[in-house]
């Protein structure tokens, strides 16, 4: 509203100024009324605007409160869903971790059984090689490449092959254990992260508008582009679980292979040990029979030597006894040679004496020849006796090696019913156990 200043030179009414001091500025009533009307209008407008603003603010507050409430409720639901998801995967990972840990224990037990089985083969190998060394002490004709030696060499080769196979299974088990431990490490790390995440999200779920100690963290209001997506999150745990299951299956197969290997090799070694012992029994029986026959022949030879000595003595006596008749015949012939003249007749007596001398000479010659033959035969018998004694000594030595050394040594191998942890046992007492050699 325009206003007009009042001055002495000019008044609104064209009247001169009096002597009263008046303000330099004066408004008209019209201006006053217009100013009031303007104030009324402005006040009304401002009030209306304020009321509208208040109404809009109220509406906005209600909408914001409702939106915030709905958003917070939605976040609470999503947070609970996330917690449930974490619990699910945490449970799955923990279950797989326990199964993996149990499988590691099972495979370690199987590996320990393999190691014990490998150690258990050392004694049979030592026994077999010692038996071969002992049998090198056989003498003369008894140093033969018999079935016992064949079976012992086969047993040594089999044990060495079994040891190599068991060692291979041990290395395979070590490799599988390494894979299982790697899976266990991944599962443990995943489980730790999920436990941490569960704790953090559970803490977040426990927060409310009335909680104390809350503050604004502007730096946290962002999404890290390098963070995992829900799909990659589940894929990560799923891959860990799948890999752990795969390695457990491989471990189970490895344990089955270990068990089969130990069982099969145990049976093979047991069977071969029986073959060796059976060969020993047969060979010992053959040597006992041979030694018995040699001893019988030796006894008969000794008896024959005695008889031959008696025969030689009888022949010598027979030759000695021929000396007197020969002397008598010679004396008679010599005496009768002194008969005089016609008395020196070739009478029957003369012929008889000459024939008697010839007969005694023939007898002495025959007896001497028989004596020489008997002495030669006696020497042959003595040589045969010595050969028999030497052969008996050889057989005795072989029997001592096979029966007293090898067989007694093999009796220290006590076969027990299949137990992978101890296929063989060593014992110096065999009377209260079932030995390999029956």
């Amino acid at each position: 509203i325009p206003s007009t200043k009042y001055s002495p030179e000019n008044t609104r009414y064209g009247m001169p100024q009096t002597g009263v001091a008046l303000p330099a500025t004066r408004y008209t009533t019209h201006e006053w009324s217009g100013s009031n009307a303007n104030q009324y209008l402005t006040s009304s407008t401002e009030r209306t605007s304020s009321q509208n603003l208040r109404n809009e603010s109220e509406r906005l507050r209600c909408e914001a409160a409702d939106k915030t409430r709905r958003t917070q409720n939605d976040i609470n639901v999503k947070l609970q869903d996330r917690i449930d998801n974490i619990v699910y995967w945490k449970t799955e990972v923990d279950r797989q971790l326990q199964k993996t840990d149990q499988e590691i224990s099972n495979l370690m037990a199987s590996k320990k059984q393999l190691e014990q089985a490998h150690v258990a083969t050392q004694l049979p190998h030592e026994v077999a090689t010692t038996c071969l060394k002992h049998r090198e002490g056989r003498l003369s004709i008894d140093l033969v490449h018999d079935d016992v030696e064949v079976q012992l060499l086969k047993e040594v080769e089999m044990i060495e092959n079994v040891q190599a196979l068991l060692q291979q299974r041990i290395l395979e088990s070590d490799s599988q254990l390494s894979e299982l431990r790697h899976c266990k490490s991944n599962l443990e790390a995943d489980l730790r992260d999920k436990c941490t995440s569960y704790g953090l999200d559970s803490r977040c779920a426990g927060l409310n508008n009335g909680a104390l100690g809350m503050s604004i963290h502007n730096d946290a209001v962002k999404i890290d582009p390098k963070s995992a997506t829900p799909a990659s999150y589940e894929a990560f745990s799923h891959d860990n679980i799948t890999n752990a299951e795969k390695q457990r299956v491989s471990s189970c197969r490895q344990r089955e292979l270990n068990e089969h290997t130990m069982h099969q090799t145990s049976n093979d070694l047991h069977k071969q040990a029986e073959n060796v012992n059976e060969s020993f029994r047969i060979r010992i029986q053959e040597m006992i029979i041979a030694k018995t026959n040699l001893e019988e022949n030796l006894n008969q030879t000794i008896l024959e030597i005695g008889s031959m000595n008696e025969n030689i003595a009888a022949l010598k006596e027979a030759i000695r006894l021929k000396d007197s008749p020969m002397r008598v015949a010679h004396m008679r012939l010599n005496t009768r040679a002194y008969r005089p003249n016609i008395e020196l007749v070739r009478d029957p007596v003369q012929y008889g004496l000459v024939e008697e001398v010839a007969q005694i000479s023939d007898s002495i010659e025959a007896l001497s020849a028989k004596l020489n033959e008997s002495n030669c035969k006696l020497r042959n018998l003595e040589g045969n006796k010595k050969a028999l004694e030497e052969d008996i000594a050889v057989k005795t030595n072989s029997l001592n090696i096979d029966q007293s050394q090898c067989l007694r040594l093999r009796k220290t191998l006590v076969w027990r019913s299949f137990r992978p942890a101890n296929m063989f046992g060593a014992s110096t007492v065999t009377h209260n156990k079932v030995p390999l050699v029956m």
Side-chain angles (χ1 to χ4, degrees):
I1 300 173
S3 64
T4 305
K5 290 184 179 181
Y6 181 79
S7 65
E9 293 79 16
N10 184 26
T11 62
R12 192 170 183 84
Y13 304 104
M15 295 177 67
Q17 181 180 9
T18 64
V20 180
L22 296 174
T25 302
R26 287 287 186 269
Y27 296 95
T28 66
T29 55
H30 179 73
E31 289 176 334
W32 179 80
S33 297
S35 175
N36 289 338
N38 187 47
Q39 291 294 334
Y40 299 154
L41 179 60
T42 301
S43 176
S44 176
T45 301
E46 291 296 328
R47 287 196 305 273
T48 300
S49 176
S50 176
Q51 187 176 5
N52 291 337
L53 180 60
R54 284 189 297 106
N55 292 336
E56 183 66 23
S57 296
E58 180 66 22
R59 183 187 63 79
L60 184 60
R61 286 198 309 270
C62 291
E63 287 181 357
D66 183 65
K67 185 177 181 180
T68 300
R69 183 177 60 257
R70 283 186 288 104
T71 301
Q72 195 173 65
N73 289 338
D74 183 60
I75 292 299
N76 289 337
V77 171
K78 290 180 179 180
L79 194 57
Q80 187 58 49
D81 290 342
R82 179 59 183 165
I83 291 173
D84 293 341
N85 183 261
I86 293 174
V87 169
Y88 168 77
W89 283 108
K90 185 169 75 71
T91 302
E92 289 297 312
V93 170
D94 185 58
R95 184 168 62 87
Q96 293 298 327
L97 178 60
Q98 292 179 9
K99 289 183 177 180
T100 301
D101 193 56
Q102 181 60 47
E103 184 58 34
I104 289 175
S105 299
N106 293 340
L107 187 56
M108 287 181 66
S110 179
K111 178 192 169 187
K112 184 177 180 181
Q113 292 173 353
L114 285 171
E115 291 171 343
Q116 291 174 340
H118 187 276
V119 171
T121 60
Q122 294 176 2
L123 179 61
H125 186 269
E126 181 180 351
V127 168
T129 53
T130 302
C131 287
L132 286 171
K133 290 179 182 178
H134 284 332
R135 298 191 92 240
E136 288 299 315
R138 292 174 297 167
L139 304 172
S140 186
I141 191 63
D142 276 17
L143 191 60
V144 296
H145 185 61
D146 53 7
D147 187 59
V148 175
E149 186 170 345
V150 171
Q151 295 300 328
L152 280 172
L153 291 172
K154 184 178 179 181
E155 184 178 44
V156 170
E157 181 182 7
M158 181 180 292
I159 292 173
E160 290 175 351
N161 291 337
V162 167
Q163 289 176 338
L165 182 58
L166 291 174
Q167 186 62 38
Q168 178 183 347
R169 295 290 178 262
I170 291 172
L171 294 177
E172 292 172 354
S173 298
D174 281 335
S175 177
Q176 187 60 51
L177 278 171
S178 178
E179 293 293 336
L180 285 173
R181 290 190 180 105
H182 179 68
C183 291
K184 179 184 177 182
S185 177
N186 291 339
L187 290 171
E188 286 175 338
D190 196 7
L191 183 61
R192 283 194 303 269
D193 292 344
K194 282 176 171 50
C195 288
T196 301
S197 180
Y198 173 79
L200 294 174
D201 282 351
S202 296
R203 180 183 176 186
C204 291
L207 295 176
N208 54 62
N209 296 332
L212 301 176
M214 294 186 295
S215 60
I216 300 298
H217 299 274
N218 292 323
D219 294 339
V221 186
K222 61 181 180 180
I223 295 178
D224 188 355
K226 295 181 180 180
S227 60
T229 64
S232 63
Y233 166 83
E234 293 189 358
F236 179 80
S237 296
H238 181 269
D239 290 344
N240 284 337
I241 291 173
T242 302
N243 190 39
E245 289 177 343
K246 178 182 177 182
Q247 293 303 326
R248 282 204 312 276
V249 171
S250 297
S251 179
C252 288
R253 291 175 180 171
Q254 184 64 48
R255 287 192 293 111
E256 290 175 358
L257 183 60
N258 293 346
E259 293 290 334
H260 174 74
T261 299
M262 287 186 288
H263 182 73
Q264 186 63 46
T265 54
S266 173
N267 290 340
D268 291 344
L269 290 177
H270 184 198
K271 182 177 179 180
Q272 183 57 31
E274 288 293 340
N275 291 339
V276 172
N277 295 330
E278 182 63 23
S279 297
F280 264 114
R281 284 191 289 267
I282 293 174
R283 186 57 178 165
I284 289 172
Q285 188 63 32
E286 290 174 350
M287 284 192 292
I288 289 175
I289 293 173
K291 180 173 175 288
T292 301
N293 290 336
L294 289 171
E295 289 173 342
E296 290 178 357
N297 278 274
L298 177 61
N299 292 332
Q300 293 176 3
T301 300
I302 291 173
L303 291 175
E304 185 60 30
I305 288 174
S307 299
M308 183 56 68
N309 282 325
E310 293 177 357
N311 179 59
I312 290 173
L315 288 172
K316 289 180 179 180
E317 181 63 20
I319 292 173
R320 187 187 67 79
L321 292 176
K322 292 294 183 286
D323 183 66
S324 295
M326 178 65 78
R327 290 175 182 275
V328 171
H330 275 274
M331 284 299 295
R332 285 176 176 175
L333 285 171
N334 185 59
T335 301
R336 296 187 83 233
Y338 289 102
R339 289 177 295 167
N341 300 320
I342 195 63
E343 292 298 324
L344 188 61
V345 62
R346 296 192 300 271
D347 53 8
V349 175
Q350 188 70 20
Y351 282 108
L353 288 171
V354 171
E355 185 178 353
E356 182 183 12
V357 169
Q359 182 182 2
I360 291 173
S361 296
D362 290 341
S363 296
I364 291 173
E365 184 178 354
L367 287 172
S368 296
K370 190 60 67 176
L371 178 60
N372 291 333
E373 185 180 353
S374 296
N375 284 324
C376 181
K377 182 59 66 178
L378 179 62
R379 287 191 296 271
N380 291 340
L381 288 172
E382 292 287 352
N384 183 248
K385 173 178 173 290
K386 183 179 180 181
L388 288 172
E389 288 173 342
E390 290 176 352
D391 205 2
I392 290 172
V394 169
K395 297 294 185 291
T396 301
N397 176 68
S398 299
L399 275 173
N400 178 65
I401 291 173
D402 284 354
Q403 195 170 31
S404 301
Q405 296 181 27
C406 295
L407 210 54
R408 182 177 297 175
L409 182 61
R410 293 189 67 80
K411 285 181 179 180
T412 62
L413 290 178
V414 181
W415 183 261
R416 297 169 183 172
S417 57
F418 177 70
R419 290 187 299 172
N422 191 5
M423 294 190 297
F424 292 96
S427 174
T428 55
V429 180
T430 58
H431 64 275
N432 58 347
K433 297 180 180 179
V434 180
L436 277 171
V437 183
M438 300 300 293

